[in-house]
Amino acid sequence: MGRSVMVTGGNRGIGLAVATALAADGDRVAVTHRDTAPPDGLLGVHAEMTDAESIDAAFEKAETAHGPVEVLVVNAGITRDTLFLRMDEQDFTDVVDVNLQGAFRTVRRAVRGMVRARWGRIILISSMTYAYGAPGQVNYAAAKAGMLGMARSLAWELGPRNITVNVVAPGLIDTAMSRAITDRRRDHLLSITPLGRAGDTADVAAAVRYLAGESGRFVTGAVLPVSGGLGLGG
Ligand code: NDP
């Protein structure tokens, strides 16, 4: 394949699995990271999702090494779970700033080169909470649902330029983020997951690989659940 790929939050968890899978296919992959060292074998570029200048600098570095970004995976995300009655405005703003506005900043920077090349693939990592919501996640579910509206509008605007924009919506995937939830919540999520288990980061990577690859060329504006059936029909 040999494309220039950018994965945000690619230093660990789902982002790392996506980056590793695409690199194994022969893509030239850059991953954003913050305080921790970048993973071995991948080009690490420092970026803070709440800061457009930092994102721009990361793209400059990646594009100098790999050429204009052709595949963008917006994966960096945070949760700040708390029940609505206790959620203050900062909890809401911070989660939207990283997950949704961070996606806006990153896509805005990436499309420059894609428009010039008249080719591109953009994949936003949302969450099945976009569909079924979750107690304690008013901020997160709002941000993740917002990513769908963003992707579908972008699909209209960028389709004529041969750029596809899709959403992957994971269910419960075994990472640091999901390990932070309570056992009670985890048991509940598994009880509403037809496959009855959490997924691996590799399951999400496989979906991204499909959408980013030649086989996904006629798919845009779609939401692909990778959830073991959690939230099916949503
Ligand atoms: P992790 O918590 O394991 O990793 C989160 C990644 O995002 C890290 O690389 C982290 O960087 C990065 N990140 C967070 N905040 C920022 C920021 N402000 N600027 C730059 N980078 C940032 O999460 P997962 O791998 O589990 O999640 C990846 C994506 O998948 C997220 O968008 C999440 O919402 C989504 N998802 C995950 C599910 C799950 O069950 N795990 C389910 C549904 C969706 P750093 O290492 O520096 O903190």
Side-chain angles (χ1 to χ4, degrees), residues 177-194:
M177 183 182 277
S178 58
R179 282 192 286 273
I181 65 177
T182 62
D183 287 348
R184 191 157 163 255
R185 173 103 191 106
R186 184 184 174 83
D187 289 348
H188 172 68
L189 287 173
L190 293 178
S191 76
I192 56 169
T193 300

Side-chain angles (χ1 to χ4, degrees), residues 8-16 32-36 47-51 54 74-79 94 97-99 124-129 140 144 147 168-179 181 189 198-199 201 204 226:
T8 69
N11 57 308
R12 62 188 172 98
I14 291 171
L16 177 58
T32 75
H33 66 106
R34 294 190 296 175
D35 303 336
T36 53
E48 166 55 55
M49 289 304 115
T50 58
D51 177 356
S54 155
V74 176
N75 164 80
I78 56 165
T79 51
D94 288 349
D97 198 8
V98 176
N99 294 273
L124 307 182
I125 308 296
S126 173
S127 159
M128 281 310 292
T129 53
Y140 183 75
K144 292 303 193 183
M147 292 173 95
V168 170
L172 187 63
I173 305 294
D174 193 23
T175 68
M177 183 182 277
S178 58
R179 282 192 286 273
I181 65 177
L189 287 173
T201 55
V204 183
V226 180

Side-chain angles (χ1 to χ4, degrees), residues 6-105:
M6 171 72 87
V7 182
T8 69
N11 57 308
R12 62 188 172 98
I14 291 171
L16 177 58
V18 167
T20 307
L22 295 177
D25 287 337
D27 288 328
R28 303 182 300 282
V29 182
V31 296
T32 75
H33 66 106
R34 294 190 296 175
D35 303 336
T36 53
D40 285 345
L42 297 166
L43 174 67
V45 290
H46 193 273
E48 166 55 55
M49 289 304 115
T50 58
D51 177 356
E53 277 179 25
S54 155
I55 292 170
D56 189 43
F59 271 77
E60 291 294 323
K61 194 172 165 198
E63 295 193 329
T64 300
H66 292 163
V69 168
E70 296 161 286
V71 177
L72 170 67
V73 183
V74 176
N75 164 80
I78 56 165
T79 51
R80 192 166 296 164
D81 297 356
T82 188
L83 290 173
F84 182 67
L85 291 179
R86 286 188 214 131
M87 186 176 286
D88 62 29
E89 202 167 326
Q90 202 61 49
D91 294 327
F92 189 87
T93 304
D94 288 349
V95 169
V96 170
D97 198 8
V98 176
N99 294 273
L100 183 58
Q101 211 155 337
F104 172 79
R105 294 182 186 103

